[in-house]
Every structure is written in C-alpha cells, then in structure tokens.
Amino acid sequence: MAVFKDTLAKDFLDNYDGLELMKQYTPKIAKLPSITYKPYYKKPISEVAQVAMKLGKATQDEVDALEKAFNERFGDK
C-alpha cells in the first residue's frame, strides 16, 4: 500500500505516474526540468513538496490536492 508521505520521490515519478499527477495538481513543479528532481530522488515526496512550497513553486492547497489524489489512486494498492 503506497502512502504519499512515505513514498520516495523517485518511486513517485517512476512507479506512480507522478509527473502526470504533478501536471494536474502542481503545474509549476511539473514544468521544471527533470534534472531538478534528481537531488530529491531519495527523499519522501512529502518533503519535496514542502521544499517546493518554500520556493514558491506550489501552494499548500495544490500539495494537499496532489496528496489526496495520490492516496486515492494508489493508497489501497
């Protein structure tokens, strides 16, 4: 069972269609070049989302919507 707060960023992108979710819920993050994500691959996606909010690339509402969508889609698998 996948949970947003525990899912590593690399797994989020590679195994859970994370880029598509980000395009829908956090478009400013999705527009960043893929090399931007590399330093965060081994961190939980929830921590990466917090960094994005601090940098002004996402709002709390966008991150909450992303988390909710992820947990609804993959939380029971």
Side-chain angles (χ1 to χ4, degrees):
M1 178 163 118
V3 178
F4 184 81
K5 68 177 184 153
D6 298 328
T7 302
L8 295 180
K10 182 158 179 49
D11 291 336
F12 175 78
L13 292 169
D14 293 346
N15 300 328
Y16 297 107
D17 204 19
L19 188 56
E20 289 304 314
L21 285 171
M22 286 193 302
K23 284 179 183 177
Q24 187 173 2
Y25 296 101
T26 56
K28 286 183 184 174
I29 299 173
K31 290 179 182 175
L32 296 171
S34 60
I35 194 163
T36 307
Y37 307 136
K38 253 190 163 156
Y40 300 102
Y41 275 0
K42 293 184 180 182
K43 294 185 181 275
I45 192 63
S46 59
E47 286 182 27
V48 177
Q50 296 300 315
V51 170
M53 286 191 314
K54 287 179 185 173
L55 296 173
K57 297 293 182 187
T59 65
Q60 183 67 54
D61 290 341
E62 290 173 334
V63 170
D64 290 345
L66 177 67
E67 180 175 0
K68 181 180 178 188
F70 177 86
N71 287 334
E72 285 176 357
R73 190 178 293 182
F74 301 107
D76 58 0
K77 293 183 180 183

